[in-house]
Amino acid sequence: MSAQPQATAGSTRKAVTLPTLLEMKKNQEKIAMLTCYDACFASVLDASGVDVLLIGDSLGMVLAGMPSTLPVTMDMMEYHTRCVAAGNKNAFVVADMPFGSYQESVEQAYRNAAKLMAAGANMVKLEGTAWLAPTVEYLTTRDIPVCAHLGLTPQSVSALGGYRVQGRDAKAAKTLKTNAKAMQEAGAQMVLFELIPGKLAADISKSLSVPTIGIGAGVDCDGQVLVLHDMLNVFPGKKPKFVRNFMDNQPSIQAAVQAYVSAVKDKSFPTAEHTF
Ligand code: KIV
């Protein structure tokens, strides 16, 4: 197979590290992140200038046809993290900790986070609110970088009663802001907001010193993420409001990914039509 993507800015850049991401926030350069689950796409995304590759537990739904992310296992996450790390050269790699792999105790969280780091992750992502602060502190003081996923947290879909926009009223907005601060104070080096009002995400992003990444959270986060198969328009079914089909008018997957990176960097994505 001759699947080497064409050389682009992505293949000549330096490795994206935690300090790089902090510097990007300081310099107001937007961070482009996409989900990625295998070596081939990792190579294409890296060469196309994607800053951060996320091995999301969305792989359960996207690759395995599961009804939610809840059945995703540590074995699945370790395997796909290894695949992505094998194909990637310079992008920063974040791996999701699956449902049930960190909620029990800080020791359980460390044991499983260490497996993902050994598989090639540069950071792990956890879903949760204030209860998660001791876990974030435990991991980060032991040199495992953490991204805290707030807002709509798909692993809590049963408790939340569906995939709904979070933080809409004043009380919920205040709680979200407090939780984001608590995550940063506990040591989280990145905060990801899913499905929250754009104005709220803008306000919280301004108040934090660590980079924020949004999905359905407006243009004013420090970066954006989408599920790869959504933005390439290959995931079947109705597309969420916050997704744009980047394959539109593009001759190849690499061109579509480059269009996404450009649109994130020049803030032409997301627009008001993708925002709550
Ligand atoms: O699992 C995933 O793909 C995610 C994104 C939706 C942010 O967490």
Side-chain angles (χ1 to χ4, degrees), residues 213-228:
I213 305 290
I215 175 164
V219 74
D220 293 312
C221 292
D222 302 306
Q224 299 293 326
V225 62
L226 283 177
V227 170
L228 178 66

Side-chain angles (χ1 to χ4, degrees), residues 62-85:
V62 175
L63 302 186
M66 292 169 168
S68 74
T69 58
L70 300 194
V72 173
T73 63
M74 270 302 297
D75 281 351
M76 290 167 75
M77 294 308 302
E78 274 184 84
Y79 171 76
H80 287 282
T81 300
R82 246 183 271 117
C83 293
V84 168

Side-chain angles (χ1 to χ4, degrees), residues 25 30-35 52 54 125 147-152 190-198 200-202 204-205 208 210-227 242-243 246 260 264 269-271 274-276:
K25 171 159 180 133
K30 296 286 181 183
I31 298 164
M33 178 171 180
L34 280 175
T35 66
V52 184
L54 169 66
K125 176 162 80 61
C147 171
H149 183 149
L150 300 175
L152 186 274
M190 185 185 277
V191 178
L192 187 146
F193 296 120
E194 179 164 356
L195 278 194
I196 71 168
L200 176 61
I204 305 178
S205 296
L208 296 182
V210 299
T212 63
I213 305 290
I215 175 164
V219 74
D220 293 312
C221 292
D222 302 306
Q224 299 293 326
V225 62
L226 283 177
V227 170
F242 54 82
V243 174
F246 281 91
Y260 169 75
V264 170
F269 175 81
T271 64
H274 308 109
T275 305
F276 300 94

